């Protein structure tokens, strides 16, 4: 069994626990032993865009040090916000002077030496390859019109994008491999409003309305996301009148198709085989 | 915004513009005002200045940009950043403008913790808009 | 961590300490608390048990040739030659009101009352400033991921001295959060002590009333004799 080190992030231990459980079960089925970092801290969720805010990199780099202590050169993430902040901080400290200053500040830690790469589940699955994945599918999701909602953090900025930032296909390939029918819709790469949900719920409600209507018009029966904040907004900020499209995590759909998680009734009834459970 | 435009060397080299450049690592003069950032911005309709107008005021050294509400509506989604034909990272300029207020202990944004929020929303909101 | 060379400390004789900027000669080997009193300060606040349990005497100090700001309890730390120190007689921090009978033992409860937890940047300053050597940052992180039991466990030995709270760049009132987490743990998550419930029932049923009445009527001498002859639980 191949071993991979895993950084969960706060949401995966809390409201997105189901995403973690499903993903880890699916990866085990695919032959990967997933080991959680023995200690880890919040990634920061939003990457600082100011040039001089070294403090914002301390949390992410501390996690990279934890991976370094485990002798790993790669950590797996499930939450797209964790992926984004950790990977960008890993890029940021490729600058030797920034790394020197962060190491000097963290006088309670061994120095980070660089070289730990941060990968997201969808990249990891892409590496595994369509053929191997397809062979592992025991309950193909035939008949399900599944729309991937990428949001921001898997695609932007370009340096950390898991695919083309405007025309991504990586999740659609996964959806096809799982036997479902990928649905493209105009809003699939557009922002849900993210953290504005706290100071400006009105704006987020508008955004979520646009996204859901766009997906609904394209015929989506369910949405896939890798972001706990997108899921929160899509579910909790749905305006009246917008279509009620259920939202699932990427790892959940994967686990259904690999037969390691029960297919929820609302999805099961949409499958052409009609099979559930 | 100034009704009448008077340009001077001193104004174009205003310290606040240098500060925005320093914090953002971006050169506002690279912008040629094509408006692609504004066209693709999902939050533009809630902004008092469009993203390209924010850059324009910086180019003109107009301090009114420091009072703009636009940066506080920007969600850092980076749609403008990946689409700018001149490679200007507009989201970083928005961040610099937010930071200049936050570092003086100022924020025009009020929080309404009217319900329980997941940590992922709170961490983002606190980091982006609170001093 | 860089080792900073601190000059050899005298074990006897006098040392110089700087209290709020003023130099004082005090005997080596005194605790900071006793040195303050030796120097003439009369402590009415910022002092309590003198045994390292109450957390009242939070103190910060620096040592010559060392950039670090140390944090400790004045009653538990001996003075060092050249020490610069100041006491923090109290930490201003609001304890948000809640009804423990209605609060749920979940992360949301902690975040709803203390949303500033989400401002943590994982700088670890809190852990470095804890005189109890608690993993304070780990507790903040456990709170963020909703693990109330873990928070309670990590902060069991917190004295509420407030040093982490004064040092936190995210302005988190740690000790109030920890107290809430421990109360939630005690009320909802900790296994219930069945023998306690039984004993409470026995008391309510009047099982010990007679014995108590007898004790109340005893004279001082009789009480003293009874106390001396009491059954002491084996170690």
């Amino acid at each position: 069994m191949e071993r991979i080190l895993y950084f969960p992030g706060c949401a995966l231990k809390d409201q997105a626990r189901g995403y973690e459980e499903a993903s880890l079960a699916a990866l085990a089925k695919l032959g990967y032993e997933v080991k959680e970092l023995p200690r880890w801290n919040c990634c920061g969720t939003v990457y600082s865009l100011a040039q001089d805010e070294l403090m914002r990199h301390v949390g992410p780099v501390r996690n990279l040090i934890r991976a370094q202590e485990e002798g790993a050169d790669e950590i797996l993430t499930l939450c797209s916000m964790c992926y984004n902040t950790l990977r960008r901080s890993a890029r940021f400290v490729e600058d030797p002077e920034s790394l020197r200053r962060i190491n000097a500040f963290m006088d309670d830690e061994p120095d980070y030496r660089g070289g730990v790469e941060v990968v997201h589940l969808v990249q990891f699955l892409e590496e595994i390859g369509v053929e191997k994945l397809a062979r592992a599918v025991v309950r193909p999701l035939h008949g399900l019109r599944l729309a991937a909602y990428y949001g921001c953090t898997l695609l932007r900025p370009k340096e950390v994008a898991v695919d083309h930032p405007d025309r991504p296909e990586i999740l659609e390939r996964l959806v096809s491999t799982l036997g479902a029918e990928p649905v493209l819709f105009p809003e699939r790469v557009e922002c849900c409003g993210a953290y504005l949900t706290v100071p400006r719920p009105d704006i987020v409600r508008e955004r979520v309305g646009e996204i859901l209507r766009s997906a609904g018009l394209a015929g989506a029966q369910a949405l896939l996301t890798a972001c706990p904040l997108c899921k929160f907004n899509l579910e909790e900020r749905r305006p009246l009148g917008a279509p009620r499209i259920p939202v699932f995590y990427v790892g959940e759909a994967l686990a259904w198709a690999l037969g390691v998680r029960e297919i929820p009734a609302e999805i099961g009834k949409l499958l052409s085989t009609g099979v559930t459970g | 915004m100034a009704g009448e435009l008077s340009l001077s060397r001193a104004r174009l080299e205003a310290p606040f513009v240098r500060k925005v450049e320093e914090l953002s690592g971006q050169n506002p003069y690279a912008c040629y005002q094509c408006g692609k950032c504004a066209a693709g911005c999902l939050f533009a309709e809630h902004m008092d200045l469009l993203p390209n107008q924010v850059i324009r005021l910086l180019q003109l050294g107009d301090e009114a940009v420091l009072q703009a509400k636009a940066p506080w509506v920007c969600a850092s989604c980076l749609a403008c950043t990946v689409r700018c034909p001149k490679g200007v990272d507009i989201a970083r300029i928005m961040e610099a403008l937010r930071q200049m207020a936050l570092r003086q202990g100022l924020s025009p944004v009020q929080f309404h913790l009217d319900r329980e929020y997941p940590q992922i929303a709170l961490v983002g909101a606190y980091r982006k808009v609170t001093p | 961590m860089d080792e900073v060379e601190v000059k050899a400390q005298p074990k006897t004789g006098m040392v110089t300490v700087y209290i709020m900027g003023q130099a004082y000669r005090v005997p080596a080997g005194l605790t900071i608390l006793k040195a303050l009193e030796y120097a003439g300060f009369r402590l009415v606040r910022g002092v309590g048990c003198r045994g390292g349990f109450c957390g009242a005497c939070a103190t910060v100090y620096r040592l010559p040739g060392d950039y670090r700001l140390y944090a400790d309890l004045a009653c538990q730390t001996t003075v060092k030659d050249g020490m610069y120190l100041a006491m923090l007689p109290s930490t201003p921090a609001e304890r948000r009101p809640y009804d423990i009978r209605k609060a749920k033992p979940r992360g949301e409860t902690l975040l709803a009352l203390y949303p500033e937890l989400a401002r943590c940047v994982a700088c670890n300053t809190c852990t470095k400033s804890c005189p109890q050597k608690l993993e304070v940052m780990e507790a903040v992180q456990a709170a963020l991921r909703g693990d109330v039991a873990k928070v309670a466990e990590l902060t069991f030995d917190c004295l509420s001295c407030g040093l982490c709270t004064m040092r936190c760049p995210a302005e988190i009132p740690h000790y109030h959060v920890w107290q809430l987490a421990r109360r939630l743990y005690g009320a909802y998550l900790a296994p219930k002590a069945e023998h306690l419930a039984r004993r409470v029932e026995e008391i309510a049923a009047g099982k010990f009333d007679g014995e108590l009445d007898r004790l109340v009527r005893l004279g001082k001498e009789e009480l003293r004799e009874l106390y001396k002859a009491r059954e002491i639980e084996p170690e």
Side-chain angles (χ1 to χ4, degrees), chain A residues 202-243:
Chain A
D202 55 320
I203 295 181
V204 175
R205 219 169 271 119
E206 272 182 32
R207 286 300 314 136
V208 168
E210 291 293 324
I211 294 161
L212 291 175
R213 277 188 288 273
S214 169
L217 285 171
Q221 293 170 318
L223 285 168
L224 272 196
T225 180
C227 178
L229 185 51
C230 290
K231 185 166 155 76
F232 173 80
N233 282 340
L234 289 169
E235 291 174 343
E236 303 292 325
R237 298 296 190 207
R238 191 181 68 87
L240 286 173

Side-chain angles (χ1 to χ4, degrees), chain C residues 53-74:
Chain C
F53 283 104
C54 79
C57 59
T59 300
V60 288
Y61 62 89
R62 278 197 169 88
L63 298 172
D66 185 351
Y67 66 86
R68 275 171 280 202
L69 181 67
Y70 292 91
D72 224 322
L73 298 177

Side-chain angles (χ1 to χ4, degrees), chain C residues 40 69 161 191 193 195 221 226:
Chain C
L69 181 67
C161 72
H195 62 287
E221 263 319 299
L226 201 59

Side-chain angles (χ1 to χ4, degrees), chain C:
Chain C
M1 198 189 290
D2 299 334
E3 283 304 320
V4 179
E5 205 179 316
V6 179
K7 61 176 174 173
Q9 288 291 330
K11 291 198 170 60
T12 55
M14 304 295 274
V15 295
T16 302
V17 294
Y18 300 89
I19 301 169
M20 292 186 282
Q22 177 77 45
Y24 294 88
R25 296 285 288 169
V26 299
L30 290 190
T31 62
I32 292 174
L33 198 63
K34 286 180 178 157
L36 281 160
E37 287 169 334
Y38 181 90
F41 288 90
R42 185 167 158 260
L43 304 173
V44 287
R45 292 300 306 271
V47 61
C49 75
R50 294 171 183 264
F53 283 104
C54 79
C57 59
T59 300
V60 288
Y61 62 89
R62 278 197 169 88
L63 298 172
D66 185 351
Y67 66 86
R68 275 171 280 202
L69 181 67
Y70 292 91
D72 224 322
L73 298 177
C75 71
Q76 295 299 295
T77 314
T78 49
V79 288
K80 292 192 176 67
D81 195 31
M83 186 183 245
Y84 297 82
L85 65 91
M87 289 192 83
L88 302 171
S90 131
T91 304
E94 182 195 17
R95 188 177 68 84
R96 315 265 156 76
Y98 54 85
D99 182 345
I100 195 74
R101 290 163 301 184
K102 289 180 188 149
K104 294 185 188 75
R106 298 199 320 240
E108 289 93 324
T109 307
L110 304 180
L111 268 177
L113 284 161
Y114 299 101
E116 57 270 42
L117 280 165
R119 284 164 50 83
C120 175
V121 286
C123 70
N124 210 35
T125 308
C126 49
T127 302
K128 288 195 276 187
S129 62
C130 179
Q132 292 289 84
K133 305 281 175 271
L134 303 182
E135 292 281 4
V136 188
M137 187 188 88
E138 297 292 324
V140 177
Q141 294 298 325
L144 275 176
R145 66 187 77 144
D147 193 341
V148 174
K150 185 81 181 168
V151 178
E153 180 200 319
L154 285 169
T155 66
F156 184 80
D157 287 325
C158 172
L159 305 176
S160 302
C161 72
L163 281 163
C164 55
T165 297
M166 287 304 278
R167 298 281 283 126
C168 177
E171 295 153 300
I172 297 166
H174 304 74
Y175 58 96
H176 288 322
V177 186
W178 305 159
Q179 187 188 52
L180 170 57
R182 289 192 302 269
R183 284 177 173 167
L184 289 171
Y185 180 77
Y188 299 105
L189 302 173
K192 295 285 171 241
E194 288 168 23
H195 62 287
L196 177 67
R198 275 200 304 277
R199 178 57 52 93
V200 169
E201 275 174 32
E202 285 170 356
I203 293 169
K207 182 175 178 182
F208 303 102
D209 289 357
E211 202 175 337
L212 267 173
D213 285 345
R214 189 173 69 84
L215 281 173
V216 168
R217 281 193 297 270
L218 285 180
K220 201 172 180 179
E221 263 319 299
E222 289 167 306
L223 261 180
R224 186 168 284 142
E225 286 309 309
L226 201 59
Y227 181 76
K228 278 186 196 157
R230 77 194 187 279
E231 240 180 82
I232 296 172
E233 283 184 44
E235 286 290 316

